[in-house]
Amino acid sequence: MQNNKCKAAMSLSQNISIVHPEYFFITGLIGTPYNTYYYIFLFIVYFITIIGNSIVLLIIALERSLHSPMYIGVFNLALADIGETNALIPNMMKTFLWDSQYISYNACLANMFFVNFFYTVQTYTLVILAFDRFIAICFPLRYHAIVNNKLMSIVFSVLWAFNTCMVTLSTSLMTRLSFCNSNVVESWYCDYGTLMRLPCNDNSINRLLAILIQALFIIAPPFIIILSYVGIFLALCKITTWEGRLKALKTCVSHLLVVGSFFLPIICILLASTTTNARIISGSLSIALPPMLNPIIYVLNTAKIKDLIRKMLNNRSAPIRGNVSK
């Protein structure tokens, strides 16, 4: 009887105790052919992303004519792009430069938090920009009454606060999981979905939250954006002239390109069945490339930003030409 009680107590203590490994082992791109060239490519992507988005941030912050609802959205998108890139690529580069796939438990959770946080901010920033274009084209006369700087500031404040709460909740719930079987993460960062398959205790709450997050941040955003563009298409059909339709549609080109570069790779990865290495490379590219492309797309397709950059370059070159002529 005494032995049975002792065994029961031991099994209860084992169930209550939670095992947190000191380190996780990120397999990432181990064994991938030509991975050195891929890491060099990632470094170039990182450099272009930081420089490009920093230029967009500076231009919007310093130029008063760009202090408008749409450019508040572009400003927040650039912030999220810089944040996500800094959360993702330096960790991958560290693995390559120092040949260390180990990451501490707390650093892993921090990496998960920041990548997921900035990624979710990106998704709903694209939704807000779609709403901006929907109101501008479907209700042009009421646009300034509905959409203004104050509204956009409130919307983005709510977005950042809501995302902070959701990602904090999902990350904090990871601490209740016990990783007593394996600490090997078959991904390029501390991916929530991959880590959730490793624990040896009940993870049903984490799975439910993962489904909710997928519905909120992966399924809902493209669905809302598609609905907004259906409304835009119907509004364009009511415009009598092709010139008017093209002029209105031209204001959506940048947003459409950014949405395409963001969601299409994710959809392709979800639909395609690939090997582990191919999935890891395509998955890392789907997160790393959009932040690099976004500032390029907005600069090349926005006349105001192109004109401002041209003026800045002309102003810088004018004193040089004056000194040369002397």
Side-chain angles (χ1 to χ4, degrees), residues 5-35:
K5 284 183 179 180
C6 288
K7 286 179 181 177
M10 285 175 65
S11 64
L12 182 63
S13 65
Q14 285 174 356
N15 289 333
I16 292 172
S17 64
I18 295 174
V19 178
H20 289 165
E22 188 177 354
Y23 292 97
F24 283 106
F25 186 77
I26 309 293
T27 57
L29 298 165
I30 296 173
T32 305
Y34 309 110
N35 59 357

Side-chain angles (χ1 to χ4, degrees), residues 17-233:
S17 64
I18 295 174
V19 178
H20 289 165
E22 188 177 354
Y23 292 97
F24 283 106
F25 186 77
I26 309 293
T27 57
L29 298 165
I30 296 173
T32 305
Y34 309 110
N35 59 357
T36 301
Y37 299 106
Y38 184 65
Y39 281 116
I40 293 169
F41 173 72
L42 280 180
F43 176 77
I44 295 168
V45 167
Y46 178 79
F47 181 77
I48 295 171
T49 300
I50 299 301
I51 296 297
N53 282 289
S54 298
I55 289 170
V56 169
L57 288 175
L58 281 171
I59 289 172
I60 295 173
L62 298 176
E63 182 56 43
R64 292 187 64 85
S65 64
L66 296 179
H67 294 177
S68 62
M70 189 184 85
Y71 290 106
I72 290 175
V74 176
F75 186 89
N76 278 269
L77 184 63
L79 273 180
D81 287 342
I82 289 175
E84 186 198 54
T85 302
N86 277 317
L88 183 71
I89 295 181
N91 273 307
M92 296 180 71
M93 295 302 300
K94 183 193 76 172
T95 301
F96 168 67
L97 293 173
W98 284 278
D99 193 25
S100 172
Q101 282 81 41
Y102 288 98
I103 182 170
S104 69
Y105 178 82
N106 289 331
C108 185
L109 292 187
N111 179 238
M112 179 197 301
F113 174 86
F114 286 110
V115 172
N116 291 343
F117 173 72
F118 289 114
Y119 182 83
T120 53
V121 169
Q122 284 174 321
T123 58
Y124 271 96
T125 299
L126 295 178
V127 172
I128 294 167
L129 287 169
F131 167 77
D132 174 81
R133 292 300 85 206
F134 174 79
I135 300 297
I137 292 173
C138 297
F139 306 99
L141 298 178
R142 298 181 58 196
Y143 174 76
H144 293 291
I146 298 171
V147 182
N148 52 53
N149 290 356
K150 184 179 179 181
L151 174 69
M152 292 296 272
S153 299
I154 292 170
V155 167
F156 276 106
S157 297
V158 171
L159 169 64
W160 287 75
F162 175 73
N163 281 25
T164 301
C165 293
M166 288 298 295
V167 179
T168 300
L169 176 63
S170 66
T171 306
S172 61
L173 282 175
M174 293 298 294
T175 60
R176 61 180 291 276
L177 299 179
S178 185
F179 299 92
C180 49
N181 290 332
S182 174
N183 66 338
V184 178
V185 182
E186 293 183 358
S187 185
W188 63 96
Y189 77 106
C190 287
D191 180 23
Y192 185 87
T194 306
L195 277 173
M196 203 172 56
R197 292 193 289 269
L198 297 179
C200 51
N201 62 339
D202 180 39
N203 64 351
S204 54
I205 295 175
N206 299 74
R207 287 186 178 276
L208 284 172
L209 187 62
I211 293 169
L212 176 63
I213 289 172
Q214 272 194 326
L216 282 174
F217 297 107
I218 296 178
I219 298 170
F223 181 72
I224 296 168
I225 291 169
I226 289 168
L227 281 180
S228 68
Y229 273 98
V230 168
I232 288 170
F233 176 76

